[in-house]
Amino acid sequence: ALCALRRSCCLVNPFLKILLFQLLGLSIATLSTVTHYGLHFTLISNISLESNSYRVIHHAAFYFGICLSMTLILAALLSSAATVRESPCLTAGGFFCFALAFWGLIPAACWRYTHSTEVEDSMMDVYDLVYEEVRRNTSSFRRHELTAIHEAFLCCGKHSPFGDTANVESKTCPPGPARDAGQDCLQEIQDFLKKHMDFISTILGVTIGFTV
């Protein structure tokens, strides 16, 4: 009975770690799904031109996040089976999956800090393009797209050096506090993306730490 109690106590700690990795994998999968299918991101992706890099980043981040989450979950499942069966093969498979996850997490973390401004600039370029086309009255369809951006980000127009923005904002800004306060959409996009990127950095940091 004492040996069985010791064995069960030894299994508790590994199973807690395995459960933690499963939760981290599910968190990364959820974050990737929100990033790909969230209103703010899909709206910008659908509007962006082929020459804009945002659409490529948008899809690449989703598929990379899903693959990474599946690798972590698989590693946790293999480790769980290896703990129960005491199988060297399953243990080796679990460590291999953890190694793959680690070598995926490190480039992702580095890319987050070296290319963060690229995502921000590409999103704001999309807004600038739509805004200027509406200001020049070159496309009525763009007016609907600009209105959708204003409603999604709860903002209204931008500070343009060319002036003549009141007409654009009166037609595309939904009534509410954002319109009354004249909240700059470029600043709102920047703030929204910063919060999202900070959350991604936290998830990546925690996952890297526990993987090590």
Side-chain angles (χ1 to χ4, degrees):
L2 182 60
C3 291
L5 180 61
R6 289 179 177 176
R7 179 180 174 82
S8 62
C9 290
C10 291
L11 290 176
V12 169
N13 192 31
F15 278 125
L16 288 177
K17 294 178 181 178
I18 291 166
L19 178 61
L20 175 63
F21 276 108
Q22 289 178 337
L23 292 176
L24 288 173
L26 290 174
S27 298
I28 293 175
T30 302
L31 183 61
S32 301
T33 304
V34 170
T35 302
H36 190 262
Y37 294 104
L39 174 62
H40 300 80
F41 299 104
T42 55
L43 183 61
I44 297 296
S45 179
N46 293 334
I47 296 175
S48 63
L49 301 177
E50 293 294 335
S51 58
N52 191 293
S53 61
Y54 178 77
R55 187 173 297 182
V56 176
I57 298 173
H58 184 237
H59 292 292
F62 172 70
Y63 293 117
F64 179 82
I66 293 298
C67 291
L68 181 60
S69 66
M70 292 300 103
T71 303
L72 285 172
I73 293 174
L74 178 61
L77 293 175
L78 289 175
S79 299
S80 177
T83 303
V84 173
R85 298 185 179 183
E86 298 182 355
S87 171
C89 294
L90 292 176
T91 302
F95 274 108
F96 177 73
C97 290
F98 278 124
L100 286 179
F102 178 77
W103 291 113
L105 287 165
I106 294 300
C110 293
W111 189 93
R112 154 69 182 93
Y113 288 102
T114 57
H115 293 79
S116 59
T117 57
E118 182 179 348
V119 181
E120 179 182 305
D121 292 341
S122 62
M123 290 184 72
M124 291 194 291
D125 286 344
V126 173
Y127 181 81
D128 282 331
L129 171 67
V130 176
Y131 188 93
E132 292 305 319
E133 288 193 8
V134 172
R135 190 181 65 84
R136 294 193 297 265
N137 293 319
T138 58
S139 173
S140 60
F141 182 72
R142 289 296 191 186
R143 187 176 298 110
H144 296 290
E145 293 178 340
L146 186 61
T147 302
I149 295 176
H150 288 163
E151 292 176 349
F153 287 92
L154 299 178
C155 58
C156 181
K158 67 173 186 175
H159 301 295
S160 175
F162 301 102
D164 190 26
T165 61
N167 187 39
V168 175
E169 295 170 0
S170 63
K171 294 180 179 179
T172 60
C173 292
R179 180 174 181 174
D180 297 337
Q183 295 180 3
D184 190 341
C185 275
L186 295 180
Q187 185 62 46
E188 291 297 320
I189 293 174
Q190 187 178 24
D191 294 341
F192 171 81
L193 191 60
K194 182 180 183 302
K195 293 177 181 177
H196 191 75
M197 286 297 189
D198 288 343
F199 191 68
I200 292 176
S201 300
T202 302
I203 292 294
L204 288 176
V206 171
T207 307
I208 289 173
F210 278 101
T211 303
V212 172

